Amino acid sequence: MGVYLVSVCAEDWCEGHGDEEEDGWTHVASALNEELARRGLPAYDSVPAEAEFVRGSGLRFEEKLTPSMDGFVALCDARLSAEEAAVLCGWSVLVPLSLDEPILLPVGSRYTDETLVAGAPQMLALAERLAEAVDLPAETPATCDNLDLTTWFLDGPANELAASRPGPWSEDLDAAFYVALYLRAAQHALRRGCPIVYT
């Protein structure tokens, strides 16, 4: 159990084969496309099909939000404006679209009565700033097919690297985990062209 950040495939986004309120994410997809049309923007419906799981392939995204977020919130407060922090941390659904501002949809998702949709390019720029601020190490896993970041930060490798090569990132490993989480989530959404959601 717990909260996970996961990628969504076409079967769940467009065709309603998932378990989010029994129809996948089609209600969110439809509401988003209606709002995009109202703004004169093209619909977002080119979501990739479900990929077979291959560890390290970067075709899926799944991470568990286990550590405390207190240090990450403090980092955001120190490095980002309130508006920027809201883009980075306040969304319900992340899509690979460039959005001038997050779009609030009047439909519920797993943990909210309304759904806030953020653009991955905007989130990526903010996450990259934080990654640079904490000097996130190159050894941080680049793919997140099956809890790769969660395992790296919580099961030892990050602690071992912090001991041998400390830096700003190692001063708060929980905060560094969330920096890496949002960085990799935005990168994955853009690379695969898929939504990322909390579940």
Side-chain angles (χ1 to χ4, degrees):
M1 299 298 291
V3 180
Y4 290 79
L5 204 55
V6 301
S7 54
V8 179
C9 62
E11 290 84 348
D12 293 346
W13 184 258
C14 306
E15 301 169 23
H17 296 169
D19 61 2
E20 176 68 20
E21 296 184 5
E22 298 182 358
D23 67 347
W25 290 83
T26 56
H27 61 297
V28 173
S30 296
L32 176 59
N33 282 338
E34 288 176 10
E35 182 58 25
L36 291 173
R38 192 184 69 78
R39 300 180 182 206
L41 299 172
Y44 170 53
D45 49 22
S46 58
V47 178
E50 184 173 8
E52 181 180 348
F53 173 72
V54 178
R55 184 175 296 279
S57 67
L59 296 178
R60 294 185 178 190
F61 190 97
E62 179 185 7
E63 293 292 347
K64 187 174 184 180
L65 281 68
T66 299
S68 167
M69 292 192 79
D70 292 347
F72 179 69
V73 171
L75 177 65
C76 290
D77 288 344
R79 296 284 181 169
L80 304 176
S81 69
E83 293 78 12
E84 290 170 334
V87 170
L88 186 63
C89 306
W91 53 272
S92 313
V93 174
L94 184 69
V95 293
L97 308 176
S98 184
L99 302 174
D100 292 337
E101 60 184 10
I103 297 175
L104 186 62
L105 302 175
V107 295
S109 52
R110 181 62 61 98
Y111 298 105
T112 58
D113 293 330
E114 297 177 305
T115 299
L116 189 65
V117 180
Q122 287 72 29
M123 195 180 97
L124 177 61
L126 298 172
E128 286 176 336
R129 280 171 50 191
L130 294 184
E132 183 178 354
V134 302
D135 195 17
L136 198 66
E139 290 85 350
T140 305
T143 59
C144 303
D145 300 279
N146 184 27
L147 308 178
D148 298 320
L149 284 175
T150 305
T151 300
W152 194 78
F153 274 96
L154 299 184
D155 290 351
N159 283 297
E160 294 168 8
L161 183 62
S164 64
R165 202 168 76 242
W169 72 280
S170 66
E171 295 171 6
D172 187 335
L173 289 180
D174 288 352
F177 166 80
Y178 285 105
V179 171
L181 176 71
Y182 288 116
L183 177 68
R184 298 302 187 223
Q187 290 171 337
H188 182 90
L190 291 169
R191 184 177 68 251
R192 287 283 291 153
C194 69
I196 303 282
V197 302
Y198 291 95
T199 187

